């Protein structure tokens, strides 16, 4: 199901259902888009407010200038995957009643690969995924894609990937790889909508 964020009005008066047991949210950043940047920063804050334990993945020494270079993109993804798996090696996934993976850009690929390889029962939030994400994507997920994203200009690949996986797609008209259009106040409004939808997903 695709939804246009420009036309979406969120109802934030839903009551939160009490959930017993431990909950975990893992944040998978992009290259250069770290966990302290707006989408992941506020998603992490929301998850913590809902009682999730937070793990923030970080990468180091990844190849640069990978946009448009499939070979470098694959190399970066494999190296980031190895580093993420090292940071998650001691996690007892069975100890958690609810697990959410939150990814940005190449982090959505890494989150999907970790989920599949570990057979981890989790829900996923995908901010500006790449088409490679949908090679591994499955399960419950919401996806946010900017229609002017230079990192993933193939809108139809994202739409088809979401259709195949049965995942909900929200599009940001004119949004770039940070879901920004250049209209600062408009971008703040979009960010709020994205966080409201993320908040609902975490409930």
């Amino acid at each position: 199901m695709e939804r246009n964020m420009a036309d979406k009005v969120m109802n934030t008066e839903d009551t939160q259902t009490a959930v017993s047991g431990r909950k975990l949210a893992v944040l998978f950043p992009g290259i250069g888009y770290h966990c302290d940047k707006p989408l992941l920063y506020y998603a992490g804050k929301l998850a913590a407010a809902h009682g999730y334990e937070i793990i923030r993945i970080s990468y180091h020494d990844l190849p640069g200038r990978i946009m448009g270079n499939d070979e470098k993109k694959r190399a970066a993804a494999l190296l980031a995957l190895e580093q993420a798996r090292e940071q998650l090696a001691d996690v007892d996934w069975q100890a958690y009643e609810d697990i959410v993976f939150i990814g940005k850009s190449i982090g959505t690929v890494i989150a999907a690969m970790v989920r599949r390889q570990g057979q981890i029962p989790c829900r996923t939030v995908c901010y500006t995924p790449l088409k490679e994400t949908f090679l591994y994507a499955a399960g419950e997920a919401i996806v946010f894609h900017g229609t002017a994203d230079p990192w993933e200009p193939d809108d139809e690949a994202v739409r088809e990937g979401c259709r195949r996986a049965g995942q909900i797609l929200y599009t940001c008209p004119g949004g770039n790889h940070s879901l920004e259009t250049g209209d600062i106040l408009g971008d703040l409004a979009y960010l709020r909508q994205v966080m409201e939808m993320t908040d609902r997903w975490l409930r």
Side-chain angles (χ1 to χ4, degrees), residues 15-85:
T15 57
Q16 181 177 356
T17 302
V19 178
S20 60
R22 296 172 67 188
K23 301 188 290 184
L24 175 67
V26 184
L27 276 58
F28 296 84
I31 297 175
Y33 198 103
H34 309 298
C35 291
D36 59 354
K37 291 201 171 183
L39 291 167
L40 294 180
Y41 173 81
Y42 286 111
K45 296 275 281 187
L46 285 173
H50 285 297
Y52 286 81
E53 299 174 35
I54 309 296
I55 295 177
R56 295 175 175 84
I57 300 299
S58 61
Y59 317 123
H60 58 85
D61 301 322
L62 299 186
R65 302 179 183 275
I66 71 170
M67 186 169 68
N69 187 319
D70 290 342
E71 184 177 346
K72 280 190 173 183
K73 193 185 295 184
R74 282 192 295 270
L78 290 174
L79 185 55
L81 173 63
E82 179 182 353
Q83 294 174 14
R85 291 178 64 183

Side-chain angles (χ1 to χ4, degrees), residues 180-191:
E180 297 176 343
T181 65
D183 173 0
I184 296 174
L185 294 181
D187 292 340
L188 288 173
Y190 278 133
L191 177 62

Side-chain angles (χ1 to χ4, degrees), residues 156-168:
E156 186 53 36
V158 174
R159 293 187 176 95
E160 179 59 26
C162 288
R163 282 195 292 267
R164 287 199 312 268
Q167 298 171 347
I168 298 173

Side-chain angles (χ1 to χ4, degrees), residues 145-149 153 155 159 171-176:
H145 169 68
T147 62
D149 185 346
D155 293 344
R159 293 187 176 95
T171 56
C172 176
N176 63 14

Side-chain angles (χ1 to χ4, degrees), residues 51-201:
Y52 286 81
E53 299 174 35
I54 309 296
I55 295 177
R56 295 175 175 84
I57 300 299
S58 61
Y59 317 123
H60 58 85
D61 301 322
L62 299 186
R65 302 179 183 275
I66 71 170
M67 186 169 68
N69 187 319
D70 290 342
E71 184 177 346
K72 280 190 173 183
K73 193 185 295 184
R74 282 192 295 270
L78 290 174
L79 185 55
L81 173 63
E82 179 182 353
Q83 294 174 14
R85 291 178 64 183
E86 289 174 356
Q87 293 167 63
L88 297 171
D90 295 330
V91 175
D92 179 7
W93 303 106
Q94 300 302 317
Y96 296 94
E97 184 175 272
D98 184 17
I99 301 170
V100 175
F101 284 179
I102 304 173
K104 169 72 174 76
S105 185
I106 200 171
T108 65
V109 182
I110 307 310
M113 294 173 77
V114 169
R115 181 189 185 281
R116 172 175 284 191
Q117 292 181 2
Q119 295 294 298
I120 298 166
C122 68
R123 297 176 294 138
T124 308
V125 179
C126 294
Y127 298 129
T128 64
L130 308 178
K131 61 186 176 185
E132 290 82 2
T133 304
F134 300 101
L135 298 175
Y136 312 98
E140 292 183 77
I142 51 173
V143 176
F144 299 89
H145 169 68
T147 62
D149 185 346
W151 280 83
E152 189 44 76
D154 191 345
D155 293 344
E156 186 53 36
V158 174
R159 293 187 176 95
E160 179 59 26
C162 288
R163 282 195 292 267
R164 287 199 312 268
Q167 298 171 347
I168 298 173
L169 171 63
Y170 294 96
T171 56
C172 176
N176 63 14
H177 200 51
S178 297
L179 297 179
E180 297 176 343
T181 65
D183 173 0
I184 296 174
L185 294 181
D187 292 340
L188 288 173
Y190 278 133
L191 177 62
R192 176 167 182 159
Q193 289 186 22
V194 170
M195 289 302 114
E196 287 173 342
M197 287 178 257
T198 301
D199 182 70
R200 289 168 66 97
W201 191 251

